[in-house]
Amino acid sequence: MGKVNHSLTTEFILIGFTDHPDLKIPLFLVFSAIYLTTIVGNLGLVALIYMEHCLHTPMYIFLGNLALMDSCCSCAVTPKMLENFFSLDRRISLYECMVQFYFLCLAETADCFLLAAMAYDRYVAICSPLQYHTMMSKKLSIQMSIGTFIASNLHSMIHTGCLLRLNFCKSNRIDHFFCDILPLYRLSCTDPYINELMIYIFSMPIQIFTITTVLVSYFCILLTIFKMKSKDGRGKAFSTCAAHFFSVSIFYTCLLTYIGPSEDGNKDIPVAVFYTIIIPLLNPLIYSLRNKEVVNTIKKIMKAYKILICHS
């Protein structure tokens, strides 16, 4: 009977940020604005890259896929969080919880691979510019993007499947604003040893591989830049990779802080807000504002739109 009772928890309560009624409306408005800006910014960047032939290069192919995954990450977390600001029970079913975790894991894993691919792309562009079109072709970038989505889906399916083997009997209150793996472990009455083993077998190698790729790529880039005699050449090289390096630094700082050891689950929430909500907002702004080709393309479209309105 005890074993049967363990499987009776089929829904959870997401505690969220606060129970203070005076803070709910301001927080709802702030996160609604962030969500709308994130979706418009990321999907707008995807549409821009898709429509403009001049942006059909490896760097922008990776950037478009990164924007798509940032949209996926935001959509996986934010709508339910906004709903729970005014929900009386803040309930989420077990399967809704698993779906939310699946898409979040998919987006975060794909981000790791895409950021590593973008670092390698910048390494080839700066360190071997004459061989760029041979080493980093459009076909290869598409194949790498497809491989990223396949690997990310498999990785997400493995961890979601492992979560489904757990029984939750300690409580149904998740001290978080979304279904994440660490809060679910704390509620499990089944030993999560196999789940943790799967993290070491699959997640750790992905993190080590992608972080190593980024670090080695930027180490080689910096060596190449410092060897340049021309100040203009150094400035152009720095501007080429500055936006990506800034984005990578923020992403991995937040991710490594979040997955680090923490005895108090509430300490995870501010970092989780940053890497699931703020980073998807920042990425399109970082890459758009610091990228002359994207800015020029946006200006060209706006100019054509104004001309069309004037003629109509």
Side-chain angles (χ1 to χ4, degrees):
M1 286 295 293
K3 191 171 183 181
V4 174
N5 288 336
H6 287 177
S7 63
L8 292 179
T9 301
T10 58
E11 60 182 12
F12 300 99
I13 298 173
L14 292 170
I15 302 303
F17 293 101
T18 180
D19 289 324
H20 203 290
D22 294 336
L23 293 177
K24 288 184 178 181
I25 293 178
L27 286 174
F28 176 82
L29 294 175
V30 168
F31 284 113
S32 294
I34 291 174
Y35 178 62
L36 290 174
T37 307
T38 299
I39 297 302
V40 171
N42 281 290
L43 294 185
L45 189 57
V46 172
L48 187 69
I49 292 171
Y50 177 79
M51 291 187 299
E52 289 298 317
H53 184 73
C54 64
L55 300 180
H56 292 179
T57 61
M59 181 177 71
Y60 293 105
I61 290 172
F62 293 136
L63 179 56
N65 286 308
L66 182 68
L68 189 63
M69 287 296 97
D70 283 341
S71 298
C72 177
C73 178
S74 185
C75 289
V77 173
T78 311
K80 188 64 179 179
M81 180 190 68
L82 293 175
E83 176 191 334
N84 285 342
F85 278 121
F86 299 104
S87 174
L88 296 177
D89 52 21
R90 291 175 288 186
R91 295 183 183 273
I92 182 171
S93 71
L94 175 63
Y95 293 105
E96 285 178 322
C97 197
M98 295 299 106
V99 169
Q100 188 182 60
F101 171 77
Y102 171 82
F103 282 106
L104 181 63
C105 183
L106 167 66
E108 297 299 337
T109 306
D111 276 2
C112 290
F113 281 119
L114 289 169
L115 290 171
M118 293 170 73
Y120 176 73
D121 174 77
R122 293 300 84 202
Y123 157 75
V124 176
I126 293 174
C127 299
S128 304
L130 298 178
Q131 299 177 332
Y132 180 79
H133 294 290
T134 303
M135 297 176 64
M136 184 55 72
S137 64
K138 179 180 176 181
K139 181 179 178 181
L140 178 60
S141 63
I142 292 173
Q143 290 174 342
M144 291 173 68
S145 298
I146 293 172
T148 290
F149 289 122
I150 292 173
S152 300
N153 268 289
L154 291 174
H155 183 246
S156 186
M157 288 170 64
I158 288 169
H159 291 300
T160 305
C162 288
L163 282 177
L164 287 171
R165 64 172 285 274
L166 300 179
N167 292 318
F168 303 97
C169 60
K170 293 181 180 179
S171 173
N172 68 340
R173 295 169 62 86
I174 299 178
D175 293 323
H176 219 302
F177 61 93
F178 66 94
C179 292
D180 203 5
I181 195 166
L182 296 179
L184 288 173
Y185 282 175
R186 297 185 185 110
L187 302 183
S188 173
C189 55
T190 306
D191 187 357
Y193 170 76
I194 294 178
N195 301 60
E196 293 170 353
L197 184 63
M198 291 298 103
I199 290 176
Y200 284 109
I201 293 174
F202 294 101
S203 299
M204 291 300 291
I206 290 174
Q207 296 297 328
I208 292 170
F209 170 74
T210 54
I211 291 174
T212 302
T213 301
V214 170
L215 292 177
V216 171
S217 296
Y218 274 99
F219 177 75
C220 295
I221 288 171
L222 290 174
L223 285 180
T224 302
I225 291 175
F226 289 137
K227 289 179 182 178
M228 292 179 179
K229 296 180 180 179
S230 170
K231 289 184 178 180
D232 292 337
R234 285 198 296 268
K236 186 177 180 180
F238 270 122
S239 64
T240 301
C241 59
H244 178 254
F245 183 73
F246 183 62
S247 177
V248 167
S249 301
I250 295 175
F251 177 81
Y252 278 110
T253 299
C254 292
L255 184 62
L256 293 177
T257 302
Y258 185 70
I259 64 177
S262 174
E263 294 181 0
D264 184 2
N266 292 328
K267 293 180 181 179
D268 299 336
I269 293 179
V271 183
V273 168
F274 209 87
Y275 90 85
T276 59
I277 297 174
I278 304 301
I279 288 180
L281 168 69
L282 291 178
N283 276 342
L285 298 176
I286 291 170
Y287 288 109
S288 298
L289 296 176
R290 289 193 58 87
N291 194 298
K292 292 181 180 179
E293 289 180 303
V294 173
V295 172
N296 290 336
T297 302
I298 293 173
K299 288 180 179 178
K300 185 176 71 174
I301 291 174
M302 290 178 67
K303 186 177 180 180
Y305 183 69
K306 286 180 180 178
I307 293 172
L308 184 64
I309 290 176
C310 290
H311 283 291
S312 62

